[in-house]
Amino acid sequence: MDAKKYRDYVEQVTPKHSCFRNMCKAFVSGGLLCVIGQGLTNIFMAQGMSMTMASAYTTLCLITGSVLLTGFNLVVPLVRFAGAGYLVPITGFANSVAACAIEYRQEGMIFGVGSKIFTIAGPVILYGIVTSGLFGALYFILTEISVV
């Protein structure tokens, strides 16, 4: 197959995407996810929780919902429509952790789930822990010498 025929074939089988339409879908679906989160926060605060506790419970509900959707294999069709609107917030992070655990469950709890659960999320968690430790130590030192 010569280069022109190959280029024509690739052009023919490559799916066409509308960037504007994808951005609109991501904006609407991400906004809907934020509305759900705000609604949960309002419900928890109406039950008498502080803003801090309500936010923690909202985060927990969004993570649990994302893990359940991943477990029931409903994330793929959702992401096909929503795109980054679903994957960018905390729900995407929960999905990445749960998907790795599900993928490697056949290898057992220790060598499968235990060792592979943080394949995608591990570097993010490690960076977060190391960075928070360094900034915490820096803040402690600066408070001890009365700079902050």
Side-chain angles (χ1 to χ4, degrees), residues 21-35 78-92:
R21 186 174 23 173
N22 288 343
M23 287 189 309
C24 288
K25 286 180 182 179
F27 179 78
V28 170
S29 58
L32 181 62
L33 192 56
C34 292
V35 167
L78 187 62
V79 170
R80 235 180 242 133
F81 172 78
Y86 180 80
L87 291 177
V88 171
I90 196 165
T91 52

Side-chain angles (χ1 to χ4, degrees), residues 31-85:
L32 181 62
L33 192 56
C34 292
V35 167
I36 291 169
Q38 185 62 52
L40 287 169
T41 302
N42 292 349
I43 289 169
F44 292 132
M45 288 181 70
Q47 300 296 318
M49 291 185 188
S50 67
M51 181 62 164
T52 304
M53 284 300 289
S55 298
Y57 275 98
T58 299
T59 303
L60 183 64
C61 287
L62 291 173
I63 290 171
T64 303
S66 181
V67 168
L68 288 173
L69 288 172
T70 302
F72 289 120
N73 204 23
L74 297 173
V75 172
V76 173
L78 187 62
V79 170
R80 235 180 242 133
F81 172 78

